[in-house]
Amino acid sequence: MRKLIPFAAALLSAAAIVSARAAEKTLVVAASVFPQSLQTGQSSFASLSLLEQTNESLVGRDNAGALHPGLAEKWEAVNDTTWRFHLRKGVKWHDGKPFTAADVVFTINRIVDPQVGYGLLARIGQVSGATVVDDYTVDVKTKVVFPTLVRGMSDIIIEPKHYYEQVGAQGVIKKPLGTGPFIFQSYTPGDRYELKANPDYWGGAPKFDKLVIREIPEAATRVASLLAGETQIIEEVPIDLIDQVNTSGRAKIDEIPTSAGLILTYDVRKPPFDNPKVREALDYAIDKPTILKEILKGHGELLQGQLLTSSALGFDPSLKARPFDPAKARKMLQEAGYNFSTQVPITTQSGKYVSDVDMCNVIAGMLNEVGVKATVNVVEGGVYSKISIANELGPLSMVAWYNLGDADFASVWFTKGGKRTVWVNDDYEKFFAMGRSTNDEAERVKAYHQMSGVMFEENPAIFLFGLPSVYAASTKIAGFGAASDKVLRLSKVELK
C-alpha cells in the first residue's frame, strides 16, 4: 500500500498538468507571409503586424485607420517645427522597467541617424531629433513644417533604451522586449511566432493565454486550416474561396477596404523599360476592368492612373485609367523599336496580396497577346524582401503601397529618400517635398496632383487596383476585426 501512495500522487500531479494545459487558451492565426526577422523599421506591414504584438507606438491606429492615443496620451504643436508628446504613465516594459521619455528620445534619435539605415525613416524623414522635457514629456523637432508627422508616428515602434544597452541591436532583434499586450516567446522565420499574454498590459490583459501566429503561404491551405479548426483567424482569403468559408458554418469572412494601391513596378534602369513609351504601351495591353470583375469579383477598386486610392488626400479625380487597347499597345511597341524576343518575368509573392498570383498569370497572358514574352516568377517572402531591398526584383514586380489616407505615405516610396525605387524624377521629388512641407491642405493637394501627373506621363509603374483586406475568423471567437492596414489587433479577441 505504501508503494501506491507515490504512484497515486504522480497520477494526480499528471492529471493536474493535463488539466492546466487543457485550460490554457491559445489563439492560432495564419499569416500569409513572414519577415526574415523581427527587426524594427522594415517597410512592410507584414513585419509591423508581428512587431505590434509586443511593441507599441506613441500614436495608435485602429482597423479603419483612425488615430488614437497609444503610448502618448496626447500631443500638440508647440510651434511650426516642434511637436510635444505627453506620455502615458505607469506603463512598464515586459521586464518590469518603467517606460519613460528616455525610451522615446532614444528610439527617435536612433531612427533619424542615417548610419542606422532604418527602413521606415521616410515616415518621419523631416524629423531632426527629439529631446526630453521631463520623464513623461518629449519634444520632437522637425527641419521644416511637417504636416504628416503625427500619422507617421503611428508606424514608429518605440523601443527600450535600457534593453538596447544590455543586449545590443542584434539581441533586440533576436528577442524583442516591449510594452504591448503579448510577450515574446520564440520566432521561427517561415514557420511560427509564439507569444504569451501580458497580464499587466496597461490596455487590459488579453482574454487568452497564448498566441501563435503561423506562416501558411498557400492560400487554400490557410482556408483548410481554418475550416479544420487548426487556426481561428486567417488573412488574405482568395476571392474564389469566400463563399466556401461563409457557407461552412465554421467561419465567416471579415472584409474591409484598404488604402493599398497594387501596382507592377518597372526596372527603368535597363532596356526595354528605360523607354517611357514602352512602359505606357504595356498599360494599354492589360484589361484591368475584366481582372477586377472576373478575378477580384468586384472587391476593391480600379486605380485611376495613379498610385492613390480614391479616398486618399491628394487623389486626383482628373486622371483616369488608360483603356484596354491591345492594338494600340502593339503599335506603340513597334514604333518604340521594342525587341519582341525579350523575356519579361513578373516577380510576385504568393498570398501576399489577395489573388496575387492569379492576377499575375492573367496579366502575363494579356501581355503575351501583344507579343511581350511575359512569365510569372513566384518567390518566397523572405527572398522577395532581400531582392527588393537590393532593388533587383527584375523587369516587372508586383507590390502594393499603403497611403493610410494621405498621399504622402504611398508616394514616398517613389522618392530617392524612400529607397524603394530605381526611377528618379526631379519634378516628382520637388512636388513631393512641397506636399509635405506646408500645413495648407489645398497647397498639399495641388502638389500631390502635380506629382501624380508626372507619374502618369512617365509610367514608372502600371497602376492596377485598390485592394480589399479579406480575413476569415472562426465562429468560435469574438472581438476580431479586419484591419485596413493588415496589422493584426488581437488583444480584445475572446475564445468562446
Side-chain angles (χ1 to χ4, degrees), residues 92-353:
K92 291 186 178 181
W93 297 100
H94 293 157
D95 63 358
K97 302 286 187 184
F99 158 71
T100 70
D103 299 305
V104 177
V105 169
F106 165 77
T107 299
I108 293 175
N109 289 342
R110 178 176 176 274
I111 288 171
V112 300
D113 179 353
Q115 300 300 316
V116 171
Y118 198 81
L120 280 173
L121 172 61
R123 287 285 191 253
I124 58 168
Q126 302 288 50
V127 170
S128 57
T131 55
V132 172
V133 177
D134 59 40
D135 278 353
Y136 295 100
T137 311
V138 172
D139 278 354
V140 177
K141 297 184 180 300
T142 62
K143 301 167 191 170
V144 293
V145 173
F146 191 22
T148 61
L149 172 67
V150 172
R151 185 165 289 277
M153 292 297 284
S154 67
D155 273 351
I156 302 301
I157 294 289
I158 302 300
E159 299 183 80
K161 178 177 183 289
H162 72 280
Y163 189 51
Y164 260 88
E165 292 169 348
Q166 285 176 11
V167 302
Q170 290 304 313
V172 173
I173 294 170
K174 188 175 180 181
K175 187 178 180 181
L177 182 78
T179 56
F182 299 100
I183 300 171
F184 173 91
Q185 296 294 285
S186 66
Y187 180 59
T188 306
D191 183 12
R192 65 187 55 219
Y193 186 25
E194 296 187 337
L195 308 100
K196 66 178 183 180
N198 176 7
D200 302 317
Y201 180 50
W202 61 266
K207 294 181 172 58
F208 53 92
D209 306 294
K210 185 176 177 182
L211 170 62
V212 178
I213 304 177
R214 295 172 54 194
E215 185 187 27
I216 304 180
E218 173 58 40
T221 306
R222 284 197 300 277
V223 172
S225 75
L226 176 70
L227 299 184
E230 297 170 356
T231 58
Q232 285 86 50
I233 298 169
I234 63 171
E235 59 181 25
E236 297 298 357
V237 179
I239 299 297
D240 59 351
L241 295 181
I242 285 178
D243 287 345
Q244 181 183 345
V245 172
N246 276 336
T247 58
S248 68
R250 299 181 176 182
K252 285 291 183 184
I253 293 293
D254 195 346
E255 178 179 350
I256 189 171
T258 78
S259 63
L262 184 72
I263 61 175
L264 289 174
T265 304
Y266 292 107
D267 185 343
V268 301
R269 297 170 298 184
K270 303 171 186 175
F273 300 121
D274 56 345
N275 184 341
K277 287 300 175 188
V278 172
R279 304 197 295 262
E280 181 181 346
L282 265 59
D283 199 14
Y284 285 108
I286 300 172
D287 187 353
K288 294 180 278 289
T290 295
I291 295 173
L292 180 61
K293 178 182 178 183
E294 299 297 333
I295 295 184
L296 293 178
K297 306 296 183 187
H299 297 257
E301 64 174 290
L302 182 65
L303 291 181
Q304 296 298 336
Q306 57 198 297
L307 182 58
L308 304 177
T309 50
S310 58
S311 61
L313 175 75
F315 171 79
D316 186 349
S318 71
L319 290 178
K320 301 297 178 187
R322 291 188 176 90
F324 175 52
D325 190 341
K328 184 172 183 175
R330 197 176 295 110
K331 184 172 183 290
M332 288 182 70
L333 289 171
Q334 291 167 343
E335 290 173 350
Y338 180 75
N339 182 351
F340 285 92
S341 67
T342 304
Q343 298 291 323
V344 181
I346 302 171
T347 301
T348 184
Q349 299 172 73
S350 176
K352 169 73 172 176
Y353 311 110

Side-chain angles (χ1 to χ4, degrees), residues 35-49:
Q36 280 291 89
S37 75
L38 295 176
Q39 180 177 359
T40 57
Q42 300 179 67
S43 56
S44 159
F45 282 106
S47 170
L48 197 62
S49 185

